[in-house]
Amino acid sequence: MTAATRSTLFPQVPDSADAVLDGLDPEQREVATALHGPVCVLAGAGTGKTRAITHRIAYGVRAGILHPSSVLAVTFTNRAAGEMRGRLRQLGAAGVQARTFHSAALRQLQYFWPKAIGGSMPRLVDRKVQLVADAAAACRIRLDRGELRDVTAEIEWSKVTQTVPADYAPAAAKAGRDTPRAPAEIAQLYAAYEDVKRERAVIDFEDVLLLTVAVLQDRHDIAEQVRAQYQHFVVDEYQDVSPLQQRLLDLWLGDRDSLCVVGDASQTIYSFTGATPDHLLDFRTRHPGATVVKLVRDYRSTPQVVHLANGLLAQAKGRAADHRLELVSQRAAGPEPVYSEYTDEPAEAEGAARRIRELIDSGVPAAEIAILFRTNAQSETYEQALADAGVPYQLRGAERFFDRPEVRKAGVALRGAARFGGNDSLLDDAVDLPSQVRAVLSGEGWTTQPPAGSGAVRERWESLAALVNLAQDFSAAQPGATLADLVAELDERANAQHAPTVQGVTLASLHSAKGLEWDVVFLVGVAEGMMPITYAKTDEQIEEERRLLYVGVTRARERLHVSWALSRSPGGRPSRRPSRFLDGLRPGSTATTGRTAVGGTGGIERGIPGTRGSTPRRVQRTPARCRVCGRTLTDAGEMKLMRCDDCPSDMNEGLYERLREWRADQARRSGQPAFCVFTDRTLMAIAETAPDDEHELARIPGVGVRKLNRYGTDVLAICAGQLAGGGTDQD
């Protein structure tokens, strides 16, 4: 790993609710302002879904519509939850709970256990493998290491799909599971595993969800207490929800519909764990009145990368393919993807390492490069090749940054300097925060130049260098910040596991790369037998492999390298061929037969409130253009006015003042800020347009269905020269 050079941004907190919406595109803005009723966001890769939902929460909080403590945002990894908390804090919406399903359920279970069950809650075990091994020994069944892992996975699948041991065999057959042992044996092991847990008074992570569901089902008083606390829910990565997680979500919601879900069926890659996109795809059936927003503007990848991603899904089959989103790149053109064929896997690894060495020498930061592979077993070959080429690297999923010994020691040193720095001669010549941090960390092993070579010494230096760079970014964003302020920032980041960037080429499996992105991505081993993997037999399994490759492609911002080897080892028979998924996409190949899926476009579909079984109405979004000069508008404020800021205004000043007076009266009556009724920009747009009917009023950005229903009659009356509620200005 090498020193972090990529800046970690510390944006200023927006000064108002309206400012939270600045910079959002029309669809993202629609998400952010749709604060009532069920909302479904279908978000393609790189389209800013996290931005949209965090701005939605922050806008609701800052506008006084949502109370921070009443919002629960759930996602699937601690990293994603930490990132969400960090973004909300930067938007001025601290206090919102952003957690994983398991974390949220565990907190509730710990709190309510004495009341619902009594006594102390059983100990939570981190890993099941040893318990499964003990269960196998009790059943006198010998399992090798691979079988032990696979049986553990089958038990986890059973629990998240709410399958009991007696029902395992028929459930596995129905789901088409490729079981590692006879289904009857796995059912026996599953039952023995549950017995072992009971005997030892321990529970596993799936039990946390199961027990929370049981408590909420059996104790209506507790369920009502939870619902009184949390009234608004946001679920990220909704395509990965398991039946058990959906059951818990239903119990949290009760009979309410204040739910916003976000997902992409084309990124469903965890079905082997029990995840299913059906809840996402059936959302409009379950909630006919839902607002559905499709995000397809890809801000991450170049048109060349997006073209390959769209092409991968164009020949996909199945239900998820029927709902795929056609991405539209918003970036400037970049290089075409590079396809490379090698004689064997070591040659492929050496080729990738050689190209990466050239990229780093040309100025590309090592932290902006990744090598992605199908299985973790492929990692070793690339680790060796990178080491031989003198390229620093880091393994995705290795020790967490804030858990590293050198980072913990550095934190202690910085905390001590923040408290007693006035007596530390090291800080005598330090004139600002970055120089203070450099002075303190020099005592921990940081130097201005990295040590030669690689290994543990270099890795320790990398960690300290990341803290030095973080201090520089923090000081630039918050002039006048002190060491104590930085220590508080580090504590926040440690709690959220929001680590600064540590440079080094990332080695990761395709599954663990989900949610990440790099400037340059090397997709390696893209050959038949590895992609799709050999044991993918059914159509559903093959399609999930295709989606996995799609996830890999969409991790690249600018450059993409795709490679495969004809044999596994030097001198081996060259019997492999490139993955079928590349047919018709890589140069010189032809497309395989099969239908082409029709991609979905962006836009908004609004359900009819209060109806059931109705078909949502689609509203196509076209680029916003200035109604004066015709230029395409991109600024949020200009889009609201439907004209450029420097184009002449034809606003009726008298109408604008009457609207402002009416708004002030509405704000006083409702006890909320005036901008929560309508913002100044929206009032200006209304005064310029002077709409004659609801249709014209509804077309003005900032006038959604809720505000149209609530204020439309008054606004149209004022525009017609009448007083709100009847009468005329002359009365």
PDB file of all heavy atoms in Angstrom, residues 350 388 412 481 612 629 648 703:
ATOM      1  N   GLU A 350       0.629 -11.684 -14.567  1.00  0.00           N
ATOM      2  CA  GLU A 350       1.804 -10.863 -14.876  1.00  0.00           C
ATOM      3  C   GLU A 350       1.444  -9.731 -15.833  1.00  0.00           C
ATOM      4  O   GLU A 350       1.943  -8.606 -15.691  1.00  0.00           O
ATOM      5  CB  GLU A 350       2.904 -11.745 -15.485  1.00  0.00           C
ATOM      6  CG  GLU A 350       3.528 -12.711 -14.485  1.00  0.00           C
ATOM      7  CD  GLU A 350       4.359 -13.787 -15.165  1.00  0.00           C
ATOM      8  OE1 GLU A 350       4.579 -13.662 -16.396  1.00  0.00           O
ATOM      9  OE2 GLU A 350       4.786 -14.740 -14.487  1.00  0.00           O
ATOM     10  N   ASP A 388       5.960  -9.012  -7.293  1.00  0.00           N
ATOM     11  CA  ASP A 388       7.110  -9.118  -8.202  1.00  0.00           C
ATOM     12  C   ASP A 388       7.303  -7.839  -9.000  1.00  0.00           C
ATOM     13  O   ASP A 388       8.435  -7.479  -9.347  1.00  0.00           O
ATOM     14  CB  ASP A 388       6.927 -10.298  -9.156  1.00  0.00           C
ATOM     15  CG  ASP A 388       7.026 -11.641  -8.438  1.00  0.00           C
ATOM     16  OD1 ASP A 388       7.510 -11.667  -7.281  1.00  0.00           O
ATOM     17  OD2 ASP A 388       6.592 -12.656  -9.020  1.00  0.00           O
ATOM     18  N   VAL A 412      -4.308   7.295  20.220  1.00  0.00           N
ATOM     19  CA  VAL A 412      -3.960   7.609  21.609  1.00  0.00           C
ATOM     20  C   VAL A 412      -3.007   8.798  21.658  1.00  0.00           C
ATOM     21  O   VAL A 412      -3.151   9.713  22.490  1.00  0.00           O
ATOM     22  CB  VAL A 412      -3.328   6.375  22.288  1.00  0.00           C
ATOM     23  CG1 VAL A 412      -2.753   6.751  23.650  1.00  0.00           C
ATOM     24  CG2 VAL A 412      -4.361   5.249  22.422  1.00  0.00           C
ATOM     25  N   ALA A 481      -9.791  24.558  12.732  1.00  0.00           N
ATOM     26  CA  ALA A 481     -10.043  23.326  13.483  1.00  0.00           C
ATOM     27  C   ALA A 481      -8.837  22.973  14.339  1.00  0.00           C
ATOM     28  O   ALA A 481      -7.685  23.202  13.953  1.00  0.00           O
ATOM     29  CB  ALA A 481     -10.354  22.180  12.520  1.00  0.00           C
ATOM     30  N   ARG A 612     -56.295   0.639  -4.958  1.00  0.00           N
ATOM     31  CA  ARG A 612     -55.633  -0.651  -4.909  1.00  0.00           C
ATOM     32  C   ARG A 612     -55.829  -1.345  -6.246  1.00  0.00           C
ATOM     33  O   ARG A 612     -56.913  -1.341  -6.807  1.00  0.00           O
ATOM     34  CB  ARG A 612     -56.203  -1.520  -3.784  1.00  0.00           C
ATOM     35  CG  ARG A 612     -55.925  -0.924  -2.408  1.00  0.00           C
ATOM     36  CD  ARG A 612     -56.148  -1.953  -1.324  1.00  0.00           C
ATOM     37  NE  ARG A 612     -55.772  -1.400  -0.032  1.00  0.00           N
ATOM     38  CZ  ARG A 612     -54.540  -1.412   0.437  1.00  0.00           C
ATOM     39  NH1 ARG A 612     -53.575  -1.931  -0.268  1.00  0.00           N
ATOM     40  NH2 ARG A 612     -54.269  -0.900   1.628  1.00  0.00           N
ATOM     41  N   CYS A 629     -34.476  31.189 -23.795  1.00  0.00           N
ATOM     42  CA  CYS A 629     -33.446  31.025 -24.828  1.00  0.00           C
ATOM     43  C   CYS A 629     -33.327  29.596 -25.338  1.00  0.00           C
ATOM     44  O   CYS A 629     -32.648  29.349 -26.340  1.00  0.00           O
ATOM     45  CB  CYS A 629     -32.090  31.489 -24.306  1.00  0.00           C
ATOM     46  SG  CYS A 629     -31.395  30.427 -22.995  1.00  0.00           S
ATOM     47  N   PRO A 648     -34.154  37.320 -19.126  1.00  0.00           N
ATOM     48  CA  PRO A 648     -35.108  38.282 -18.554  1.00  0.00           C
ATOM     49  C   PRO A 648     -36.311  37.592 -17.915  1.00  0.00           C
ATOM     50  O   PRO A 648     -36.819  36.596 -18.431  1.00  0.00           O
ATOM     51  CB  PRO A 648     -35.523  39.136 -19.754  1.00  0.00           C
ATOM     52  CG  PRO A 648     -35.214  38.295 -20.955  1.00  0.00           C
ATOM     53  CD  PRO A 648     -34.012  37.495 -20.585  1.00  0.00           C
ATOM     54  N   VAL A 703     -43.893  21.904  -7.128  1.00  0.00           N
ATOM     55  CA  VAL A 703     -45.313  21.708  -6.808  1.00  0.00           C
ATOM     56  C   VAL A 703     -45.624  20.233  -7.031  1.00  0.00           C
ATOM     57  O   VAL A 703     -45.956  19.813  -8.124  1.00  0.00           O
ATOM     58  CB  VAL A 703     -46.230  22.592  -7.686  1.00  0.00           C
ATOM     59  CG1 VAL A 703     -47.693  22.389  -7.292  1.00  0.00           C
ATOM     60  CG2 VAL A 703     -45.840  24.053  -7.568  1.00  0.00           C
TER      61      VAL A 703
END
